[in-house]
Amino acid sequence: MDNKIKSMFSPIRAWKYLMRTPVTIAKKDIFVNPREASERYRGFHQNDMTKCIGCGTCSEICPTAAINLVPVEGIVHEDGKLDERPAFDYGRCSFCGLCVDICTSDSLNMSKEYLHLSIDADSFYFMPDSSGIHKTSAKVGYTRDEISELLDLVRQEMQHEDESRRSSFIEIVKGYAALDAKNEAARCVACGICTNTCPANMHIPEYIRAVFDEDLKEGIRQIYKTNPLANVCGRICTHKCETVCAIGHRGEPVAIRWLKRYIVDNADATDYNDAAQESVTAPVNGKVAVVGSGPAGLSCAYYLRTLGYEVVVFESQALPGGVIRYGGPQYRLPEESVLKDIGVIENAGVTFKCSTKVGVDITLDELRDSFDAVFLGTGFSLSRPLKIPGYDHEDVQYAIPFLAQTRDYIREIGPMPDVAEKVTVIGGGNVAFDVARTLIRLQEIKYGKSFVQMASLEDSEHLPADLEELEEGLEEGLHGYFAYGPMAVKVEDGKIKGLEVKKVLSIFDEEGRFNPSYDEHDVKLLESSQVYMAIGQMPEYAYFNDEMRDELLTKRGQIAVTDGGQVESYPWLFAGGDIVRGPDIINGVATGHDSAKAIDNYLQSKK
Ligand code: SF4
Ligand code: SF4
């Protein structure tokens, strides 16, 4: 039979199918009582809005461009989250599930819901929450499993010096090799959440990208846009950025600080200098005095120079750098790193007048008369005493002068601090660990052994210090008495016998006020012939006259300023760093940069 005859009979042949059992079943109540989809069905999306951080990684990976990050009405900004959330276009979605596989916060999955009938095309474009497309909380279908994991959740390991490090001041963290750095950079999903949390708003995804692209000159360029202390921050920044890293929700956060360090340690010297100096512009008319050469002063001075101003930095110590030169210990922050950062700032044309204390060698009024604006970045430069019995004994030492003296000893311009064989440190913050771990090293050098105890109000899980300080301190042989409060420095025959401590039951009272309570039956004497106090720092305002002191200081010893650090009643005066915000290095860098911009606005507005 030829094809013509076949087609003549085909309508009649179709009738025979009427007698057969249908393959596709028309379920009349399908919308009321739908058949459940199979396990791991890829239906409409559900997104747990309490977990979603708006990182946008789902949108980035989507091969059909079906996901857009859109503003959400009434959303309250939270640190560690962006303000937009993903909306899905089912005209484009191919239900591949890649968005679920890569979701950083584990908030996104696909439901077993597969029915949606509407003549409103807009209803196929919606922002899912946990109740899905029809607000009915359909059962969960497809979720990510081990095989479909797309993120690299484990950090590239960092090499450290072993425990023998405790008898030297050699730098502990060795830094990444090129391949490790590239692999670590590849873990970043470039969401930028870290940038929002960094006090200096550093261009983090951009410089991480530069590591991945092996373009370290570009990395330096990105870093110097917001931070001229890259070597210092690459080592001792408090890395608040890492606490919010998107990858940290399911794994280890990207090693942002170590990647910054990789860039500054490995960029070619000429590239480094060229990129760091690139933004220094032609001179403009204006002269600014910066008081203090710590992080805030250095940052303000550098950015004022990039804007073309003449800048003179007044520093009371013999060398510039403040806390980064005299505070942070060498094993965490080598001298060469500090010199490299200060060198860039000097090369940019900033002048330093060291061994010149404002308020003693030159007054604030004299600075006001000789300069167009003055920036104060004097920091919290004094150790705070704890006035327990015996605190005024000559063998009670303080963190700031002790650390400064040790740095001079390592620089071979000062004597070794007079360290006893048995010592106790009071405090539980990073500075207390700096003191304790420095003491261990000095004892090892002097006596060939060490015995350092630490007493802190907080228990080991609630110490203000970074966890790595605790771990490394214990590794180095530190004896920790955590949750033991200092009661008295015990003195016998004119010599310190030890520190008396009591077990802490609670630090705050029911109203949340600082009011420690103790177990009167758990009292110890931590035998030692020296006690080191490291319970906090305070500012020194020798340069203010009484009137300014009364007018400007707030309760916490900081200066009240407007945005950009300007002092309202003295518009020529600006302030930043610990005396305004912090205390930490990156807040110093950020406030110094903000003030440089504000000083520029002020001086330009006067023209
Ligand atoms: S990847 Fe996850 S956390 Fe990020 S925006 Fe998408 S749903 Fe939210
Ligand atoms: S480092 Fe973390 S938070 Fe920052 S851009 Fe990369 S993934 Fe996002």
Side-chain angles (χ1 to χ4, degrees):
M1 215 187 294
D2 66 14
N3 281 348
K4 235 180 185 176
I5 299 170
K6 253 189 196 173
S7 60
M8 275 171 61
F9 284 102
S10 54
I12 299 161
R13 284 212 327 268
W15 283 98
K16 72 181 182 191
Y17 292 107
L18 284 175
M19 304 303 149
R20 292 201 183 162
T21 311
V23 176
T24 307
I25 302 160
K27 202 167 180 302
K28 290 197 181 67
D29 62 347
I30 193 156
F31 284 100
V32 188
N33 189 18
R35 200 163 119 186
E36 182 166 314
S38 57
E39 281 309 298
R40 300 183 61 71
Y41 186 79
R42 296 180 185 206
F44 296 115
H45 295 80
Q46 291 174 325
N47 192 15
D48 183 343
M49 288 293 199
T50 59
K51 282 165 90 181
C52 176
I53 55 175
C55 67
T57 315
C58 47
S59 165
E60 285 295 317
I61 201 169
C62 180
T64 58
I67 309 174
N68 295 313
L69 270 285
V70 295
V72 186
E73 213 177 300
I75 197 163
V76 181
H77 179 75
E78 280 177 67
D79 190 31
K81 291 184 177 182
L82 298 178
D83 294 344
E84 296 183 329
R85 296 289 176 268
F88 291 73
D89 181 350
Y90 287 109
R92 307 185 73 115
C93 179
S94 63
F95 295 87
C96 65
L98 283 173
C99 51
V100 173
D101 296 340
I102 206 163
C103 175
T104 58
S105 71
D106 216 6
S107 64
L108 194 63
N109 60 55
M110 290 164 110
S111 68
K112 290 186 178 178
E113 201 168 19
Y114 52 87
L115 281 170
H116 180 64
L117 195 66
S118 173
I119 54 166
D120 176 11
D122 287 349
S123 71
F124 288 84
Y125 178 73
F126 86 112
M127 179 185 288
D129 56 21
S130 359
S131 58
I133 192 166
H134 297 129
K135 309 290 170 209
T136 51
S137 290
K139 285 190 183 156
V140 172
Y142 181 74
T143 54
R144 184 192 54 255
D145 58 17
E146 264 174 41
I147 298 164
S148 58
E149 175 65 79
L150 293 174
L151 295 177
D152 182 354
L153 300 173
V154 182
R155 202 176 250 212
Q156 290 296 302
E157 212 175 305
M158 175 60 78
Q159 300 300 316
H160 290 76
E161 288 294 324
D162 66 22
E163 283 137 53
S164 63
R165 64 182 184 249
R166 68 179 180 202
S167 50
S168 83
F169 283 88
I170 192 165
E171 187 173 19
I172 296 175
V173 177
K174 292 185 172 176
Y176 277 143
L179 185 60
D180 292 337
K182 190 164 177 140
N183 287 339
E184 185 61 20
R187 298 177 61 225
C188 171
V189 293
C191 63
I193 287 177
C194 47
T195 295
N196 288 355
T197 294
C198 169
N201 299 131
M202 290 195 73
H203 297 195
I204 296 167
E206 291 82 356
Y207 71 67
I208 290 180
R209 177 79 213 190
V211 174
F212 185 77
D213 292 342
E214 298 173 30
D215 184 355
L216 300 192
K217 186 172 183 180
E218 175 60 15
I220 298 284
R221 205 178 276 132
Q222 291 295 344
I223 289 170
Y224 268 80
K225 284 181 181 178
T226 55
N227 187 347
L229 298 183
N231 284 276
V232 170
C233 288
R235 288 173 161 79
I236 61 167
C237 183
T238 43
H239 53 102
K240 297 180 195 310
C241 51
E242 292 180 18
T243 62
V244 297
C245 173
I247 308 301
H249 287 266
R250 296 202 285 112
E252 294 177 291
V254 174
I256 301 172
R257 181 177 55 171
W258 288 339
L259 288 173
K260 179 161 57 233
R261 169 174 165 173
Y262 173 77
I263 295 172
V264 291
D265 282 0
N266 292 284
D268 172 81
T270 317
D271 278 354
Y272 182 98
N273 251 326
D274 289 354
Q277 305 292 350
E278 214 166 61
S279 49
V280 179
T281 54
V284 296
N285 215 359
K287 221 171 140 191
V288 182
V290 170
V291 185
S293 65
L298 290 173
S299 170
C300 185
Y302 172 78
Y303 287 110
L304 282 168
R305 271 304 300 150
T306 64
L307 293 164
Y309 292 98
E310 188 182 338
V311 187
V312 182
V313 179
F314 293 86
E315 169 56 52
S316 61
Q317 301 270 17
L319 299 167
V323 68
I324 59 172
R325 198 68 177 264
Y326 288 96
Q330 175 91 4
Y331 58 82
R332 287 206 294 132
L333 180 61
E335 188 80 354
E336 310 81 75
S337 306
V338 178
L339 287 174
K340 204 168 165 188
D341 282 344
I342 294 177
V344 168
I345 295 165
E346 265 175 332
N347 289 342
V350 170
T351 305
F352 288 93
K353 281 202 172 183
C354 292
S355 303
T356 309
K357 190 169 170 107
V358 175
V360 176
D361 302 306
I362 187 167
T363 67
L364 200 53
D365 287 345
E366 284 171 314
L367 291 185
R368 181 202 55 206
D369 295 343
S370 320
F371 291 86
D372 299 301
V374 177
F375 174 80
L376 302 172
T378 47
F380 276 22
S381 54
L382 301 177
S383 288
R384 195 183 289 283
L386 180 65
K387 294 188 176 174
I388 51 177
Y391 87 99
D392 50 356
H393 190 281
E394 60 179 359
D395 283 332
V396 173
Q397 311 271 339
Y398 290 89
I400 303 291
F402 165 69
L403 291 172
Q405 200 189 344
T406 307
R407 295 270 335 193
D408 275 349
Y409 160 67
I410 296 165
R411 274 180 213 119
E412 299 182 358
I413 57 170
M416 186 190 221
D418 184 18
V419 177
E421 268 186 273
K422 277 186 168 186
V423 300
T424 304
V425 178
I426 304 176
N430 284 336
V431 174
F433 277 90
D434 287 348
V435 170
R437 298 175 65 192
T438 297
L439 280 163
I440 288 173
R441 284 160 173 77
L442 291 172
Q443 285 178 332
E444 290 284 347
I445 292 167
K446 191 171 171 186
Y447 304 109
K449 59 182 180 179
S450 61
F451 188 83
V452 178
Q453 305 164 107
M454 176 181 273
S456 71
L457 284 177
E458 301 85 0
D459 64 32
S460 58
E461 280 173 22
H462 299 93
L463 285 173
D466 294 342
L467 181 62
E468 68 194 26
E469 288 293 334
L470 173 65
E471 289 171 350
E472 290 175 6
L474 295 177
E475 255 174 47
E476 290 166 8
L478 176 68
H479 302 273
Y481 289 87
F482 305 119
Y484 275 94
M487 294 293 123
V489 177
K490 290 288 182 188
V491 178
E492 229 176 65
D493 300 329
K495 293 205 157 88
I496 292 181
K497 206 172 155 229
L499 179 73
E500 188 181 277
V501 293
K502 252 185 219 172
K503 181 76 186 166
V504 176
L505 295 175
S506 65
I507 299 178
F508 299 98
D509 63 20
E510 279 169 6
E511 275 84 47
R513 284 180 304 224
F514 178 76
N515 187 13
S517 68
Y518 300 97
D519 178 350
E520 299 300 328
H521 304 291
D522 191 350
V523 182
K524 292 185 197 303
L525 180 72
L526 307 184
E527 282 182 33
S528 52
S529 40
Q530 283 178 332
V531 171
Y532 287 76
M533 291 208 180
I535 57 154
Q537 285 86 245
M538 56 188 192
E540 186 192 3
Y541 292 120
Y543 46 77
F544 279 149
N545 57 38
D546 290 346
E547 188 192 322
M548 285 181 107
R549 200 172 289 124
D550 289 346
E551 190 184 343
L552 301 183
L553 300 191
T554 63
K555 261 192 195 155
R556 298 169 60 206
Q558 291 179 316
I559 297 175
V561 292
T562 58
D563 280 352
Q566 193 166 27
V567 178
E568 215 165 11
S569 41
Y570 302 90
W572 51 274
L573 190 62
F574 295 76
D578 295 353
I579 58 172
V580 165
R581 198 169 86 196
D584 66 5
I585 287 172
I586 193 66
N587 270 299
V589 168
T591 52
H593 191 185
D594 288 348
S595 283
K597 290 184 263 183
I599 290 169
D600 180 43
N601 285 340
Y602 165 69
L603 296 181
Q604 293 307 319
S605 68
K606 279 185 28 170
K607 281 185 181 166

